[in-house]
Amino acid sequence: MSSRGIRKAKRKLKKNIKLFFIFSLLILIGSSFCYVYFNRDSLFNNNSTIPIKKEEKKKEEVKEPKEYKASVFMVGDALIHSTIYEDARQSDGTYNFKPQLEAIKPISSKYDLAYYNQETILGGASLGYSNYPRFNSPTEVGDAFIDAGFNMVSLATNHTMDKNEQGVLNSVAYWKQFPNVASSGQFISNEDRTESISRVYEANNIKYAFISYTIWNNGLTTPYGKDYLNNEYSPEKAAADIALVRDKVDFVIVAMHWGTEYSLRVDRKQEEIANYLSELGVDLIIGAHPHVVQTVEYINNNKTFVIYSLGNFISDQRKVENYTGLAFEVTLKKNVDVDGTVTNSVVDPKAELIYTTSRYYKNFKVVPYPQLTNDQLSNYMSHYEYYKAIVSECYPNLVWGLTWE
């Protein structure tokens, strides 16, 4: 074959190779298009069983029941007689009540909530300090209780109006300095009362409301149109107040100034009010006014726990029964089930007796009964057993003994 023929053959071969390459490319593109078209659902559907990228399935969260608890410590009346505030007077004219509480502080400061009843008005120096029958006490009393960890205080008492309207205004102004302290029972206006009653407090994921009432006023009525100054109890008022907060909180706590002074027995009126408050949805009732200890119990099928009277915490009433008070502990427990069902209960009540000691009506100090000596109270163990039996009368299974160290 001539050289010309060879060149012609090569050109034809190259042309055939190009045609073959183009034809193969067209076949590849066409087959790819057909594959995509006929498999479009599996390729583009997010729920495809053939994932583009393998991923590990996320582990489903396992729901478990949750439990929350808040510990509550309670003591009774701070009844500040002149001997007590004179004992606290310093050389510079100020007052220091902290030494009187130093044996209690190691335990009271450990609790989530610590309650006491401020029996006498903290009207301050401008109104003049005074003794029975119309008391006025230094605000340093409150300072000492706050220092000892107390953050819940009842203010509605039969002595609220001892220094008239100005006494209440001074008292409320003092307590408003401490927004973390739940105070109730004295108010400066109807708006202040509504705001205070409606307030929701919280501890350890447990929400609670706190309201204080008194059924006594010593005949010292509030000025016309200013009933808010002292929160006097009525069934209608309690129903309206509790309705404001019942659905917002896990627990409703009510302090009641009720009962018969110096009576170790619960009266019919106390029982009537306790059952009514329980029906309204109150979980814990803390009693004051008798100045002596009374029994405790669960009522309404364990719906409500009632401490009818904690007695005096500190006073100078000079009788064993008045110097003896009750220190009490409960736990607020909230259970949340896996389906969201919430169950609340007041559990694990524990008690101990306390005693106000002094020497020649000086050096006042509140001491747990187990720390007493016969020099401080002759034959103190017999008194202990006597008052212990009174407190346990309606609840024989009550656990005695708190950890003081």
Side-chain angles (χ1 to χ4, degrees):
M1 181 181 291
S2 66
S3 59
R4 183 179 178 184
I6 292 172
R7 288 195 298 272
K8 186 177 181 180
K10 286 182 178 180
R11 285 195 298 269
K12 186 177 182 180
L13 179 61
K14 289 181 179 179
K15 182 178 181 181
N16 289 338
I17 291 173
K18 288 180 180 179
L19 291 173
F20 177 78
F21 178 78
I22 293 170
F23 181 75
S24 299
L25 183 60
L26 290 173
I27 292 174
L28 179 62
I29 293 172
S31 60
S32 298
F33 176 81
C34 291
Y35 177 82
V36 171
Y37 178 81
F38 289 108
N39 293 277
R40 61 189 183 279
D41 290 336
S42 61
L43 289 172
F44 299 106
N45 191 335
N46 288 333
N47 296 321
S48 172
T49 57
I50 307 175
I52 295 173
K53 182 179 180 181
K54 290 184 179 180
E55 294 182 356
E56 292 185 4
K57 291 184 178 180
K58 293 182 180 179
K59 294 181 179 180
E60 292 185 6
E61 183 180 351
V62 179
K63 292 185 178 180
E64 295 181 353
K66 295 181 180 179
E67 181 179 270
Y68 305 98
K69 292 182 178 181
S71 57
V72 186
F73 178 71
M74 295 159 282
V75 298
D77 310 336
L79 181 52
I80 310 300
H81 292 92
S82 58
T83 47
I84 292 176
Y85 65 70
E86 287 300 333
D87 182 49
R89 187 195 291 269
Q90 307 297 291
S91 58
D92 61 358
T94 61
Y95 295 83
N96 181 14
F97 295 87
K98 294 176 183 178
Q100 299 175 357
L101 276 61
E102 65 184 9
I104 301 300
K105 181 178 177 179
I107 185 171
S108 57
S109 58
K110 294 179 180 180
Y111 288 78
D112 298 309
L113 306 178
Y115 161 95
Y116 87 103
N117 173 54
Q118 184 55 57
E119 182 76 15
T120 55
I121 194 85
L122 301 187
S126 63
L127 300 180
Y129 301 130
S130 55
N131 198 32
Y132 179 85
R134 298 184 67 167
F135 293 93
N136 182 40
S137 305
T139 56
E140 287 92 338
V141 173
D143 295 345
F145 276 89
I146 292 172
D147 174 73
F150 288 88
N151 55 10
M152 183 184 297
V153 55
S154 172
L155 302 177
T157 80
N158 57 312
H159 289 289
T160 293
M161 299 307 299
D162 278 3
K163 290 299 177 179
N164 305 312
E165 180 177 2
Q166 192 59 51
V168 176
L169 298 179
N170 291 0
S171 171
V172 173
Y174 170 77
W175 288 108
K176 281 187 180 294
Q177 297 177 91
F178 309 100
N180 294 328
V181 175
S183 62
S184 179
Q186 299 170 359
F187 313 104
I188 59 174
S189 67
N190 283 318
E191 293 75 17
D192 179 49
R193 183 184 184 281
T194 300
E195 190 277 332
S196 179
I197 297 294
S198 304
R199 190 174 301 158
V200 174
Y201 300 93
E202 187 169 344
N204 301 339
N205 291 310
I206 291 176
K207 294 180 179 180
Y208 66 96
F210 175 61
I211 310 172
S212 172
Y213 297 102
T214 180
I215 67 170
W216 303 107
N217 60 23
N218 284 2
L220 302 172
T221 57
T222 58
Y224 179 76
K226 296 185 177 181
D227 292 343
Y228 50 78
L229 292 170
N230 191 20
N231 203 34
E232 294 188 38
Y233 171 85
S234 74
E236 298 77 16
K237 184 184 290 185
D241 291 344
I242 293 165
L244 285 175
V245 292
R246 180 59 278 182
D247 293 338
K248 300 177 182 177
V249 297
D250 302 302
F251 293 89
V252 176
I253 303 170
V254 169
M256 280 300 310
H257 210 77
W258 59 2
T260 304
E261 283 188 308
Y262 315 118
S263 174
L264 296 166
R265 299 295 174 186
V266 176
D267 64 35
R268 195 170 294 179
K269 185 70 173 176
Q270 286 172 280
E271 293 177 342
E272 176 187 313
I273 293 173
N275 281 286
Y276 179 72
L277 291 175
S278 180
E279 291 296 334
L280 292 176
V282 175
D283 302 281
L284 176 62
I285 303 172
I286 312 170
H289 181 67
H291 301 303
V292 293
V293 298
Q294 292 180 338
T295 193
V296 303
E297 65 175 334
Y298 282 103
I299 62 172
N300 198 5
N301 295 318
N302 293 337
K303 182 179 178 181
T304 305
F305 192 80
V306 187
I307 305 166
Y308 287 100
S309 176
L310 289 162
N312 286 336
F313 174 69
I314 186 168
S315 74
D316 190 17
Q317 289 193 304
R318 304 191 181 184
K319 291 183 179 180
V320 173
E321 63 181 8
N322 302 129
Y323 280 154
T324 297
L326 186 61
F328 211 88
E329 169 191 320
V330 298
T331 298
L332 307 180
K333 187 168 74 170
K334 173 183 175 181
N335 287 329
V336 183
D337 210 342
V338 292
D339 63 358
T341 301
V342 178
T343 304
N344 300 315
S345 54
V346 179
V347 300
D348 301 330
K350 297 179 183 178
E352 190 56 273
L353 293 174
I354 53 181
Y355 189 79
T356 299
T357 65
S358 67
R359 187 169 181 82
Y360 305 119
Y361 308 113
K362 295 181 180 180
N363 300 316
F364 286 90
K365 184 176 293 187
V366 183
V367 179
Y369 254 79
Q371 295 181 10
L372 284 175
T373 65
N374 282 315
D375 289 338
Q376 293 170 310
L377 175 60
S378 179
N379 202 20
Y380 73 94
M381 281 305 300
S382 64
H383 294 294
Y384 180 82
E385 294 300 327
Y386 175 71
Y387 294 112
K388 178 179 174 181
I390 289 171
V391 174
S392 301
E393 180 180 3
C394 291
Y395 190 61
N397 295 326
L398 181 62
V399 176
W400 284 85
L402 301 178
T403 303
W404 297 94
E405 298 298 334

